[in-house]
Structure formats: C-alpha cells, structure tokens
Amino acid sequence: MAERYDLVVIGAGPAGEKGAAQAAYFGKRVAVIDRRPHPGGAPVASTGIPTKTLRETALYVTGFRNRDVYGLSLELDREAVLEHLMSRKSEVRHTMERAVEDNLRRHGIRYIQGEASLGHDRTVRVALDDGEQLSLQAEIILIASGSRPFRPSGVPFDDPDVHDSEEILEIRELPARMAVIGGGPVACEYASIFTALGTDVTLIDAADRLLPFMDEEISRLLAETFERMGMRLVLGAGVATIERSDGGLRVRVENGDVLLPEQVLFAAGRSGNTEGLGLEERGAELDARGRIKVDEHFQTAAEGIYAAGDVIGPPALASVSMEQGRVAVCHAFGFPFKETVDPLPPFAVYSIPEAAMVGLTEEAARARQVEHEVGRGWFAGNARATISGFPEGLVKLVFRREDKALLGVHILSESASELIHIGQAVVHAGGTIDRFIHTTFCAPTRSEAYKYAAYDGLQRLAAGSDTSTIAASSGL
C-alpha cells in the first residue's frame, strides 16, 4: 500500500525545504525525499555555504585584509591552513544541516533518505539504503533535486588532481600552483580564495571578461583587483585542454600558453539532477543539460508535477530557489499567499572582493535605449573602507536622466552582498537617487558610498555628462 501525502518533494535543498514548509504551514501532509543523510542540498553540503565559509576562514587565518595596512606577512604552515579550512567548513555545514532538520521537524514534515523515481498517477518510488522500497502517493509532486557541476567529456576528471567545484572542497593538499578554468561566479570565488591562501593562481576563460552578466565596469575592476592580488588572468583564450604528461599536469590554451599547475579546478556551469527520476516518461520536458522546463507557475508539462530551484536552470541562486519553491506550492494548492517570484532579485558573487548587482546594468539600459546616467561612489575615499584596509571598488548607480529614477545598483566591495539590499529597496519602491541624498547614513560606514554616488550622479546631470569637469569623488 502506498503512503498518502498531499505533497511529496524530491530534493531537500533551498527550493525543496521552503516549498515543503510552505505546504505544511497551510496544514498539508508533506514528505521530503533526498539521497543525502541530512537535508540542505548542495548549498549546505557542497556549494554555497561551504564556499563562503572557506572564504571567510581564508581571510582570517592569512590576515589577508591587513597585509597592506600593517605590513604583515604571515608565514603559515600550509598543512595547518588546510586543516583549519576544512575543520571550519565541516563545523558550519553541520550547524546549517541541523537548522534545516529543525525546520522540517518543526513543520511536521517527514524526511526520507533514498533514491526517488516517478511512477504512474503521481506515485513516487523510494529505494532505501537497506534495499527496501517505499511507495508514496501524492496530490502534488515538487521536483527540487538541484544540480551538479557540469562535466564535459573532454576534461579528465578521473585524474586525482583535476577537480570540479564540489570535489575541490575535499582536497588534501594546498597547491602551490593552480589553474582555474571558468569565468563565472564559482570560478571567481575559488580563484580569489586560493590566491588569498598564497597559491599561484591562473584563471582561464574563453570569454573576454569575467562575469559577463554583470555590469562591464564592475567586471573590469574585479579583474584589475585580481591582478593586483597576484592572480594571472588569461581571458578570451579559447578552449583549454588538460592532460597529464611526464608525471605532471599540462593545461594548453588556444592562444599558445602552456601551464604546469599542480591542480586544476574546472568550474564552468552546472547540470540538472534528473537522471533516473523518470520525468520524460511522465511527460515532463528537459533541456540538453537535464534541466526541467516549467511555465511561469513552475508547473511542468506533466499534470500535478512542479519543479523549482537549480533543476530548472538559471539564475540558480539559493535565495531565488527558495521563492520558486514557495510560489510553486502556493499555485499548486491555491494558497492565496506567494503568487510571484521577486522580479528584481539581487545577485552576489562571493569573491575577494565581493561583487553584487540588482536591476539594469549600464549596458542593458543602453540596449533598451533608456536615456540614463550613472553616479559613482568610490571606496578609495570612504573612511570605513580605508580603516578596514580594503578600499577597493565602488557603488555605481544607474538611473534615468528624465526623473532620476533608480534603475540598477552595482557594487564591488567587501560586504557588497549586504550593501546591495539598500539599493534593491529603493529600486523596488520606484525611488530616485534623491533618496540617498536625503538619507542619513552612519559615519564611518561603507553605506555612505551610496550618498556620494548620488551626488556624483547629480553633478553629471548638471554638467551634461562632461566627465572632465566632474571630480572623481565629491566632497559634498
């Protein structure tokens, strides 16, 4: 006999957890299935939280922020550094796993560890670790099985020194030389973390700039910051090939470069975790990377089956995945609560320094033929940034010339992922850059950069965008 539930969720990552909790909050009987012994998905186990933990631990144990300020050059035992990194990563991961477990338990949600597959008439078969089988019958099924690193056939991942973005978390030795292939968020994060740890890093990407989805100026300034940190960038390089020769790794780039790294990280995209689920047999559609196609309500082509999170593709952000799971469940059951996902989510890259954005880039405004202007508040003139020893970057405002309406915010800075929400709130409210002029910010704070970016924007309007007459940093 099949156990009956109102909702069965496959996958216990951000989309699955929040979708399940939303249904349980409204009194539905819910079960969540995941192959891992603990819930949380890849963001807790192997991607988001572990990566950010490594970042903060690396900055702390190396004293990276204080090198230029105090002239400190810490000579650390590389084995001890790696031990600290891995120990802290495991500690934070276990804490967050318990937090997700507590949330499921608090909502009365059953958690089942096993391999799930879809049967007829919205049944879910679960293969348990002990060889037993469960059968669950559901009114609604939510697929939130997440994603995994994309592994193209030409990359020798069977080599113990060639890693994807999840395997890199389990390295046993801190390399002296590393090649990072990719120019997206994960590649930038790991490349800057290992550079901070003292590894000689070369970042290689076929694109001619980092983070192509971000504002071009932010991408360029991030690349310049990386180079000042000691990272080498090989951009617009074409396809890189990896081989082992004479006992060592060789990375050959189409531009003729040959690198001899000790380890290689390949970080170029992800694929949906849909193998073995039987989605196509049930009528759902998948793309070439195994990601599920859904409509605006996150409903698949199969009746009663929804999908949310990384398994449906970009933007593949934990924050957005949570909202997708909630919206999918509310639509499925007709709950009058969450009807749409925020159309203006913030994006953050947790590199060193961080980069974040919300709304239109300057290039997007130009492509839409919006008459716009920009304002810049540089952290080089910001007291808090100077005190911290990391004065890199800026707050950049993109706004409409006609009425000064804020269209987008772009930040390169330590704590950019926190600062971006100030701009997001103003964009959401349909506000203008005058909001920052009239707001009092604590001093000294990095948040003050918003005010000076707004003043810079007003000066540009007054000067008719003749930048030669405008000071780089306003003292108003």
Side-chain angles (χ1 to χ4, degrees), residues 19-36:
Q22 188 75 84
Y25 176 83
F26 282 99
K28 299 298 181 181
R29 188 168 186 239
V30 183
V32 174
I33 306 160
D34 197 284
R35 65 184 59 164
R36 293 183 174 91

Side-chain angles (χ1 to χ4, degrees), residues 100-121:
V100 179
E101 287 173 343
D102 289 345
N103 190 38
L104 296 181
R105 189 180 303 112
R106 185 167 57 251
H107 284 90
I109 297 166
R110 184 183 179 192
Y111 183 75
I112 303 170
Q113 182 189 0
E115 292 283 344
S117 60
L118 300 175
H120 294 286
D121 193 25

Side-chain angles (χ1 to χ4, degrees), residues 134-190:
L134 283 180
S135 181
L136 312 182
Q137 180 78 48
E139 178 183 347
I140 299 294
I141 296 171
L142 174 64
I143 308 296
S145 48
S147 64
R148 65 185 183 281
F150 175 54
R151 286 184 155 216
S153 58
V155 177
F157 288 106
D158 57 341
D159 190 297
D161 294 319
V162 178
H163 312 286
D164 63 29
S165 57
E166 294 186 358
E167 289 178 339
I168 195 70
L169 289 163
E170 306 303 327
I171 60 170
R172 299 178 180 275
E173 184 177 345
L174 196 60
R177 301 181 309 280
M178 171 179 279
V180 176
I181 300 176
V186 174
C188 289
E189 289 170 5
Y190 275 116

Side-chain angles (χ1 to χ4, degrees), residues 273-295:
N273 288 328
T274 49
E275 293 86 354
L277 287 176
L279 279 161
E280 291 178 300
E281 291 84 345
R282 305 280 78 79
E285 299 178 30
L286 308 178
D287 70 9
R289 287 203 180 184
R291 297 173 298 203
I292 305 171
K293 297 181 181 181
V294 296
D295 64 15

